[in-house]
């Protein structure tokens, strides 16, 4: 229903018309596609497919959650996440769809469960994407640090306590002649930047603060958030030459 | 090449690889066509096309996808959906955005401009979460190709063949 049309309706009609639009059904051959008022990360509606089988109905998500993951190259994550979600909702899954077979008396709840599961699987993977940039930088970072500084003085994925007494998980600690250097891989996502910035500020308040170095993929891509990171630490890019790393800990 | 440069460049499909075999669970068929800009085939920049073999003339997706060679993750930068079976699209509510909270119809465009945050030089989180209506009526697959060519700046979309849809005269959709 067009927004302009709704604006000209009485209030009750707006609500009732909108409510009727929340669920849509389309039949294609023997298969019904039902759009539910549950949104996937793309803004599309979770959609279930209902097909007749001998014992009743097969309800599945038509692979629409899988398609969302495939769009961002994460389709291999479907199976692992589908297993966890399917267990909690007592449904099944195969390589690309979430599915359950039911009789007519269970159809209502099965449609709800598959719709919820479809969103849950997609959301679980997309929420991890924000951390993936950070993980990719970290993988590369540890190799670089070992090559440049050697492994003896390096501690990977360590915890360090800040002035607040809060422990911070950091990508690596490097013991230098003058003290300690903290390396933290930072992705472009706001959460990654805020977490690193908060940790760096807390560490900077220690009596003998370590040198704090944020390692990012692309400084320019951070925009104004680069300033935020630089307030409490040094910032380098992961593919800069070795001497930049050496200068960063000096 | 930065995403805005990739999107704004005049492009051509380097080749059309043909439609895939249908996935057994979903009947989805697809292709990834490499894209060239000024005669150079760009690294890991493709046009993805997809639809359901048993649902003709409906639920067709075209998407521009980028990826770094060493990464498994891809980044969609624009998408067009034609007669989506997912009932259209709903934009997130955002203060100050004209597209906020809007529901758009089954044929819509997840445009690059709506999903690019210039101040942060990145795509919006999610999977191209903002979409808008397409101004023109699209009545056929050929018309869709022309529309995709125009909106994605691809000059040879007509090398994409019509999907091998399975028509069922007795069980047509309604």
């Amino acid at each position: 229903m067009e927004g302009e049309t709704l604006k000209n309706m009485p209030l009750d009609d707006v609500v009732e018309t909108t409510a009727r639009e929340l669920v849509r059904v389309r039949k294609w051959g023997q298969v019904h596609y039902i759009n539910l008022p549950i949104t996937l990360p793309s803004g599309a509606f979770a959609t279930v497919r209902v097909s007749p089988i001998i014992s009743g109905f097969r309800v599945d998500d038509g692979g629409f959650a899988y398609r969302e993951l495939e769009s961002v190259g994460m389709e291999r994550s479907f199976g692992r996440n589908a297993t966890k979600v399917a267990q909690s909702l007592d449904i099944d899954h195969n390589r690309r769809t979430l599915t359950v077979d039911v009789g007519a008396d269970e159809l209502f709840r099965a449609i709800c469960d598959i719709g919820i599961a479809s969103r849950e699987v997609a959301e679980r993977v997309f929420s991890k994407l924000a951390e993936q940039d950070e993980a990719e930088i970290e993988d590369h970072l540890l190799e670089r640090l070992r090559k440049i500084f050697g492994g003896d003085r390096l501690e990977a994925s360590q915890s360090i306590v800040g002035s607040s007494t809060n422990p911070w998980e950091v990508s690596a600690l490097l013991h230098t002649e003058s003290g300690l250097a903290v390396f933290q891989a930072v992705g472009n996502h706001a959460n990654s930047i805020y977490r690193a910035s908060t940790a760096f500020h807390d560490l900077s308040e220690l009596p003998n603060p370590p040198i704090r170095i944020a390692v990012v993929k692309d400084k320019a891509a951070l925009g104004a958030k680069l300033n935020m990171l630089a307030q409490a630490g040094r910032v380098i890019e992961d593919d800069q030459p070795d001497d930049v790393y050496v200068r960063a800990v000096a | 090449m930065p995403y805005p440069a990739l999107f704004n460049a005049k492009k051509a499909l380097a080749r059309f690889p043909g439609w895939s075999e249908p996935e057994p669970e979903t009947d989805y068929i697809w292709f990834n066509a490499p894209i060239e800009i000024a005669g150079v085939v760009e690294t890991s920049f493709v046009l993805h096309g997809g639809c359901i073999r048993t649902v003709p003339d409906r639920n067709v997706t075209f998407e521009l996808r980028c990826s770094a060679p060493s990464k498994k993750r891809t980044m969609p930068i624009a998408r067009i959906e034609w007669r989506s079976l997912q009932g259209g699209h709903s934009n997130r509510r955002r203060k100050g955005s004209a597209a906020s909270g809007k529901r758009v119809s089954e044929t819509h465009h997840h445009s690059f401009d709506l999903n690019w945050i210039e101040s942060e030089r990145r795509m919006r989180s999610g999977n191209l979460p903002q979409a808008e209506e397409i101004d023109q009526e699209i009545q056929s697959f050929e018309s869709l190709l022309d529309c995709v060519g125009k909106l994605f700046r691809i000059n040879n979309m007509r090398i994409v063949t019509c999907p091998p849809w399975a028509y069922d005269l007795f069980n047509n959709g309604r």
Side-chain angles (χ1 to χ4, degrees):
Chain A
M1 181 66 66
E2 291 292 330
E4 287 304 314
T5 311
L6 286 173
K7 281 179 189 169
N8 298 324
M9 288 181 172
L11 290 182
D12 286 354
D13 289 356
V14 172
V15 175
E16 287 172 20
T17 301
T18 303
R20 277 196 297 274
E21 287 284 305
L22 287 174
V23 176
R24 291 181 182 178
V25 184
R26 182 182 298 278
K27 189 179 178 202
W28 201 272
Q30 296 298 308
V31 181
H32 286 83
Y33 289 88
I34 304 171
N35 308 133
L36 301 172
I38 299 170
T39 53
L40 299 177
S42 67
F45 301 102
T47 296
V48 302
R49 196 168 58 162
V50 181
S51 317
I53 56 175
I54 291 172
S55 58
F57 301 93
R58 172 155 301 160
V59 184
D60 69 37
D61 77 330
F64 290 116
Y66 179 88
R67 295 267 86 80
E68 295 259 339
L69 307 191
E70 184 201 41
S71 182
V72 292
M74 297 298 289
E75 67 273 19
R76 283 178 292 270
S77 299
F78 177 82
R80 186 171 64 255
N81 288 280
T83 299
K84 290 176 183 164
V85 172
Q87 281 171 352
S88 68
L89 289 168
D90 198 19
I91 60 176
D92 300 316
H93 74 87
N94 53 39
R95 191 175 162 198
R96 295 184 177 93
T97 65
L98 298 147
T99 180
V100 66
D101 294 347
V102 293
D105 54 340
E106 288 186 314
L107 183 59
F108 180 94
R109 184 56 196 250
I111 291 169
C112 296
D113 287 347
I114 294 293
I116 290 166
S118 189
R119 176 191 162 93
E120 177 76 15
V121 169
E123 283 293 332
R124 287 172 70 103
V125 176
F126 273 81
S127 67
K128 288 174 191 161
L129 280 181
E131 297 168 11
Q132 192 181 320
D133 289 341
E134 192 178 310
E136 284 176 0
I137 295 170
E138 200 163 88
D139 285 349
H140 188 221
L141 171 64
L142 294 173
E143 284 177 32
R144 287 294 304 279
L145 294 176
R146 280 194 194 95
K147 178 170 160 266
I148 299 167
F149 301 106
D152 295 347
R153 297 188 291 159
L154 191 68
E155 295 179 78
S157 301
Q158 283 298 307
S159 178
I160 178 170
V161 176
S163 168
S164 68
T165 71
N166 184 67
W168 298 99
E169 293 292 327
V170 296
S171 303
L173 296 178
L174 180 71
H175 296 274
T176 68
E177 289 170 5
S178 55
L180 191 64
V182 170
F183 284 89
Q184 177 59 50
V186 182
N188 283 1
H189 197 271
N191 285 349
S192 180
I193 296 164
Y194 296 152
R195 190 172 62 228
S197 175
T198 307
F200 280 10
H201 276 285
D202 196 22
L203 295 173
S204 72
E205 296 295 319
L206 289 167
N208 293 307
I211 295 169
R212 301 160 304 280
I213 303 141
V215 184
V216 303
K217 185 63 77 183
D218 180 358
K219 284 185 274 197
L222 296 179
K225 293 193 179 68
L226 175 63
N227 300 13
M228 188 185 296
L229 268 183
Q231 281 174 352
R234 297 169 176 170
V235 185
I236 62 174
E237 292 177 354
D238 68 338
D239 60 355
Q240 284 190 285
D242 291 358
D243 63 295
V244 173
Y245 281 74
V246 173
R247 285 202 301 274
V249 299
Chain B
M1 194 182 284
Y3 295 148
L6 284 174
F7 180 77
N8 289 316
K10 290 181 179 172
K11 299 177 274 292
L13 301 181
R15 64 183 284 267
F16 172 61
W19 293 90
S20 72
E21 289 296 309
E23 293 174 356
E25 305 90 346
T26 63
D27 258 337
Y28 189 75
I29 55 176
W30 55 274
F31 70 84
N32 286 328
I35 292 175
E36 63 180 35
I37 297 173
V40 176
V41 178
E42 282 294 320
T43 308
S44 301
F45 184 35
V46 301
L47 176 74
H48 173 86
C51 61
I52 300 173
R53 189 184 63 91
T54 47
V55 182
D57 300 308
R58 178 161 287 281
N59 202 66
V60 180
T61 298
F62 284 105
E63 183 174 271
L64 289 171
R65 287 182 185 171
C66 311
S67 64
S70 60
K71 291 183 180 178
K72 60 181 180 178
R73 185 181 167 184
T74 55
M75 177 64 77
I77 63 170
R79 178 167 62 245
I80 289 171
E81 307 264 9
W82 184 49
R83 298 176 176 171
S84 166
L85 279 171
Q86 290 182 272
H89 167 95
S90 173
N91 285 329
R92 284 185 197 158
R93 287 176 295 106
R94 292 178 192 281
K95 284 181 182 169
S97 165
S100 171
K102 294 268 173 63
R103 179 174 190 166
V104 295
S105 63
E106 294 171 349
T107 298
H108 55 264
H109 180 201
H110 297 251
S111 70
F112 177 78
D113 290 341
L114 267 182
N115 290 282
W116 172 251
I117 304 174
E118 176 59 28
S119 60
E120 300 179 24
R121 306 289 297 166
R122 67 173 177 88
M123 302 303 298
R124 291 190 187 282
S125 302
N127 183 5
L128 298 173
Q130 299 291 94
E132 59 194 348
E133 299 285 356
I134 293 174
D135 288 338
Q136 66 189 92
E137 274 293 300
I138 301 174
Q139 297 288 359
S140 66
F141 184 76
E142 289 71 25
S143 302
L144 174 63
L145 293 181
D146 293 341
C147 176
V148 171
K150 182 179 154 200
L151 293 175
F152 287 179
R153 294 164 207 189
I154 298 172
N155 67 19
N156 61 344
M157 277 299 293
R158 287 286 187 127
I159 69 170
V160 176
T161 61
C162 190
W165 277 313
Y167 286 89
D168 182 344
L169 295 177
F170 299 102
N171 281 315
N172 209 356
R174 60 182 168 85

